[in-house]
Amino acid sequence: MKQNKSHHLEKKLSPSREDYLKAIYKLSKKSKLVRSIDIAVYLGVTKPSVHSAVTELQEEGLVIKPLGGEIQLTEEGRKQGEIITDKYQIIRQFLITCCHVDELIASADACKMEHVISNDAIFAIKKYLRIEQGEAF
C-alpha cells in the first residue's frame, strides 16, 4: 500500500493537469465544492476537457468527484494546488518587482514557468524577495 501512495506523490503532473489543479484550488477558496462548469469557464475550456482532467486528477488521488457530484480537493490535492499557486505568485512578483516586467506579461510568463522551475529556485527567489522587500511573503 505504501508504495502505491508514494507513487502518486512522486509522479509529476503535466503542465495542463497542474493548471486544472490550480484552478480547482483557486475556485475552492471561494466555495469548498467546485462544479465542472466553473472550471470550464475559469480556464476557457470545454466540459469534456474538464471531465478528462478531473478523472486523471481523481486517479492520482488529488480530487474526489462522486458521480454527478461536485469536485472536492483531497488533502494532497489541496497541498499541491497551494504549492503551484505559490510558485506562480512568487515568480510573478519577482518578474514585476525585480525585473520590471509588465504585469500582464509577468502573469503569462509565471504561468508557464511555474511548471518547470525547481523548488530550490523558488525558495531562493522567495528568500531574495523577503530580503529586498522586507518580508513581503
Side-chain angles (χ1 to χ4, degrees), residues 10-135:
E10 291 173 11
K11 187 174 179 187
K12 178 92 170 103
L13 293 174
S14 70
S16 172
R17 295 303 171 251
E18 284 186 350
D19 287 341
Y20 279 95
L21 188 61
K22 183 172 75 171
I24 296 166
Y25 174 77
K26 285 183 172 183
L27 291 168
S28 72
K29 302 277 276 173
K30 297 176 185 175
S31 171
K32 189 170 177 138
L33 300 175
V34 179
R35 301 174 306 158
S36 293
I37 189 67
D38 300 328
I39 300 166
V41 169
Y42 184 86
L43 292 175
V45 298
T46 64
K47 280 181 67 176
S49 295
V50 172
H51 176 75
S52 174
V54 167
T55 299
E56 287 186 28
L57 292 172
Q58 189 167 346
E59 288 170 2
E60 290 295 322
L62 301 172
V63 299
I64 299 166
K65 185 182 186 300
L67 236 80
E70 294 172 319
I71 300 154
Q72 188 173 2
L73 291 168
T74 63
E75 183 61 26
E76 184 60 28
R78 187 196 59 73
K79 286 178 190 173
Q80 286 195 31
E82 185 175 22
I83 289 167
I84 295 164
T85 302
D86 285 350
K87 280 185 174 185
Y88 167 80
Q89 291 172 340
I90 291 165
I91 295 165
R92 183 180 179 278
Q93 185 65 35
F94 177 75
L95 292 173
I96 293 168
T97 304
C98 301
C99 303
H100 309 289
V101 174
D102 176 79
E103 286 188 26
L104 288 176
I105 294 170
S107 295
D109 287 349
C111 191
K112 296 171 196 160
M113 294 168 70
E114 74 191 21
H115 303 296
V116 295
I117 194 165
S118 70
N119 287 340
D120 289 345
I122 282 295
F123 291 134
I125 292 170
K126 190 173 181 179
K127 182 178 176 183
Y128 177 81
L129 287 171
R130 281 186 175 151
I131 293 167
E132 287 296 308
Q133 299 175 353
E135 297 296 320

